[in-house]
Amino acid sequence: MTYDKDLIAAKLRRWEKYLLNYRLPDWEEIHDIGLYMDQVVTLLKQYLDYLPPELKEEQVITPAAINNYVRKKIMPEPVKKKYYRSHIAYLIMICTLKQCMSIATLQTMIPMGLSEEELRQTYTAFAARHRASALFFIEQVREVAAGILDHAEQTEISTTDTVDLITTSAVVSGFARLLAEKLLLLDGKTAEDIRRQERADQ
């Protein structure tokens, strides 16, 4: 594989600038007028504009995917085929987390049966965490891609090679997903439960 360093550096800088200004909509900014499926899909593509077009079109934001989320009870059913603020808030969280989590894992992350106020609080906390994570991610990319971006300060993780940057990104992504899944498996368990399980496994 061959990559043009200047092209990659320009893309990284452009994406960084975009992410610095990007945020999920506040709860009050989410439409609550009752939208049909096609309108919801269009709106989600606008809200989640940082996703590559391929993901927006084919994998995450489609009527079939949304129907599947409803069928698997990860989100509430529409009301007379219309989706309101609560539905869209669920979909924003689902479509964001779906990039790195399975449907089964999502069901433990986003509880069903919340009151509107509980969902507002859950979504608001999620949006704030999403923003903080995006800023953290930008800092990590700056460090890993320091050689590509011609930053003076470089560390052991820094690379000047795009293939190495891709590899590092994929490995870190895998570790992050494993961490999230391992922590979710500990829900409701104590240290003593784990020790008991470990003794039983020996």
Side-chain angles (χ1 to χ4, degrees), residues 8-169:
I8 298 300
K11 286 284 187 185
L12 289 172
R13 289 188 184 99
R14 195 157 43 247
W15 200 35
E16 175 183 318
K17 185 177 179 182
Y18 180 81
L19 285 180
L20 282 171
N21 294 308
Y22 177 82
R23 65 176 178 78
L24 293 174
D26 291 335
W27 174 262
E28 294 76 16
E29 295 173 328
I30 300 174
H31 288 281
D32 197 30
I33 56 175
L35 301 173
Y36 289 107
M37 178 69 83
D38 289 346
Q39 295 170 305
V40 170
V41 170
T42 300
L43 185 65
L44 285 172
K45 288 177 183 176
Q46 293 170 7
Y47 284 161
L48 302 175
D49 196 37
Y50 68 95
L51 295 176
E54 301 81 15
L55 294 180
K56 285 191 285 188
E57 295 293 338
E58 297 174 15
Q59 295 183 24
V60 182
I61 308 171
T62 65
I66 293 171
N67 286 332
N68 190 41
Y69 303 148
V70 171
R71 193 175 73 252
K72 290 187 178 279
K73 300 192 182 306
I74 303 173
M75 62 172 286
E77 293 184 15
V79 179
K80 296 181 181 177
K81 297 187 178 181
K82 287 189 175 182
Y83 295 82
Y84 292 85
R85 178 180 289 143
S86 59
H87 299 101
I88 296 168
Y90 267 102
L91 283 167
I92 290 170
M93 293 187 287
I94 291 167
C95 292
T96 302
L97 293 174
K98 183 71 176 72
Q99 305 311 305
C100 62
M101 292 186 161
S102 66
I103 293 283
T105 308
L106 280 175
Q107 288 175 310
T108 63
M109 279 289 294
I110 308 173
M112 281 283 284
L114 299 176
S115 69
E116 184 169 337
E117 178 56 24
E118 289 171 329
L119 180 58
R120 184 189 68 76
Q121 292 175 5
T122 298
Y123 174 81
T124 299
F126 179 85
R129 180 54 42 192
H130 187 276
R131 177 71 181 144
S133 299
L135 296 176
F136 175 75
F137 172 74
I138 289 167
E139 290 301 320
Q140 299 307 299
V141 172
R142 284 177 182 162
E143 184 175 352
V144 175
I148 295 171
L149 295 169
D150 293 325
H151 292 170
E153 291 185 27
Q154 297 186 28
T155 65
E156 190 175 321
I157 194 73
S158 300
T159 179
T160 58
D161 182 89
T162 303
V163 174
D164 287 344
L165 175 59
I166 294 168
T167 302
T168 303
S169 300

